[in-house]
């Protein structure tokens, strides 16, 4: 699922400056599960905007805003409504899909963070950065680009100690885990292939959130 976070409300208000009538669209799947969309969230945010002097003229939940057909269908509910802009509560994909079906400005109230595994209710762990060059078939299902704190693509960095990551001593080294799993399955040859390192992987991974 795609993890999203609320943008700072002051920044959202700054974006909305100069507009009056707001139509709100929210995703009822990923963002709803993250607690950044859903019926209650949209109602609460609508009340917040009204307190700030805006006129919220529509409040629509869509079952998956990355689905162009659903957005195209549900956005027709705005056909006879006078609005200045659409404020979206979804990931970046849903925001971009919405832009396809309206000539009015479309803004998002959320930041898209990463693709995650759902650990339990309200708790997520990053599992994929959607790099477009999946190596899971070579690494026995362990993604080095998220499970390695440095996102290293070709073996351990040399700083691991006793199987632990030098960045986070409580975390197992992803590459040692990969090597051990390859060895157990007699697939060590898979580790011989080299991969071009990805750029801009500087944050500690995998990222975890409780919402």
């Amino acid at each position: 699922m795609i993890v999203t976070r609320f943008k700072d409300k002051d920044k959202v208000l700054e974006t909305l400056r100069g507009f009056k009538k707001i139509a709100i669209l929210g995703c009822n799947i990923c963002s709803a599960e993250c607690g950044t969309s859903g019926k209650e969230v949209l109602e609460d945010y609508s009340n917040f905007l009204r307190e700030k002097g805006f006129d919220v003229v529509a409040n629509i939940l869509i079952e998956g805003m990355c689905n162009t057909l659903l957005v195209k269908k549900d956005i027709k509910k705005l056909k006879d409504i006078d609005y200045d802009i659409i404020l979206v509560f979804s990931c970046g994909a849903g925001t971009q899909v919405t832009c396809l079906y309206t000539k009015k400005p479309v803004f998002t109230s959320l930041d898209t963070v990463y693709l995650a595994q759902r650990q339990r209710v309200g708790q997520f762990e990053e599992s994929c950065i959607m790099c477009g060059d999946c190596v899971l078939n070579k690494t026995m299902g362990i993604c080095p680009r998220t499970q390695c704190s440095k996102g290293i693509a070709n073996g351990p960095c040399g700083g691991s100690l006793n199987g632990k990551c030098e960045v986070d001593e409580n975390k197992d080294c992803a590459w040692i885990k990969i090597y051990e799993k390859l060895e157990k399955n007699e697939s060590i040859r898979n580790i011989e292939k080299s991969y071009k390192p990805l750029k801009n992987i500087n944050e500690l991974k995998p990222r975890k959130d409780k919402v």
Side-chain angles (χ1 to χ4, degrees), residues 9 29 50 72 97 138 152 156 209:
K9 285 186 175 180
I29 299 183
R50 291 185 180 108
K72 183 179 181 179
V97 169
K138 299 291 184 181
I152 293 177
D209 274 310

Side-chain angles (χ1 to χ4, degrees), residues 9-28:
K9 285 186 175 180
D10 288 338
K11 292 182 178 179
V12 175
L13 292 176
E14 179 66 26
T15 301
L16 298 177
R17 181 179 296 178
F19 299 99
K20 180 65 176 178
K21 298 179 179 179
I22 301 174
I24 290 179
L25 300 185
C27 177
N28 203 30

Side-chain angles (χ1 to χ4, degrees), residues 23-124:
I24 290 179
L25 300 185
C27 177
N28 203 30
I29 299 183
C30 292
S31 294
E33 188 161 350
C34 290
T36 53
S37 185
K39 183 178 179 180
E40 291 186 5
V41 169
L42 299 193
E43 289 179 352
D44 288 345
Y45 215 99
S46 295
N47 291 333
F48 164 74
L49 292 173
R50 291 185 180 108
E51 291 173 359
K52 296 298 181 179
F54 294 96
D55 184 7
V56 179
V57 297
N59 199 321
I60 301 171
L61 267 179
I62 299 175
E63 292 297 321
M65 291 191 64
C66 58
N67 187 318
T68 57
L69 295 178
L70 290 179
V71 174
K72 183 179 181 179
K73 176 177 70 71
D74 286 345
I75 206 170
K76 291 179 180 177
K77 297 174 183 177
L78 300 177
K79 182 179 179 180
D80 299 320
I81 296 177
D82 182 23
Y83 65 97
D84 299 322
I85 64 105
I86 293 176
L87 184 62
V88 174
F89 288 72
S90 79
C91 69
T95 302
Q96 293 177 69
V97 169
T98 304
C99 291
L100 297 175
Y101 301 111
T102 180
K103 294 181 180 179
K104 298 290 182 71
V106 177
F107 301 123
T108 181
S109 59
L110 307 180
D111 288 321
T112 304
V113 188
Y114 52 75
L115 187 64
Q117 299 172 3
R118 181 178 183 271
Q119 302 295 312
R120 54 183 60 87
V121 175
Q123 186 170 330
F124 312 95

Side-chain angles (χ1 to χ4, degrees), residues 106-167:
V106 177
F107 301 123
T108 181
S109 59
L110 307 180
D111 288 321
T112 304
V113 188
Y114 52 75
L115 187 64
Q117 299 172 3
R118 181 178 183 271
Q119 302 295 312
R120 54 183 60 87
V121 175
Q123 186 170 330
F124 312 95
E125 180 175 317
E126 182 179 26
S127 60
C128 176
I129 59 170
M130 297 178 283
C131 67
D133 185 22
C134 190
V135 298
L136 294 178
N137 290 346
K138 299 291 184 181
T139 58
M140 302 301 293
I142 301 172
C143 177
R145 287 159 181 164
T146 56
Q147 295 303 310
C148 171
S149 295
K150 299 179 180 180
I152 293 177
N154 297 291
C157 63
S160 59
L161 179 64
N162 298 324
K164 298 295 183 180
C165 172
E166 70 169 342
V167 175

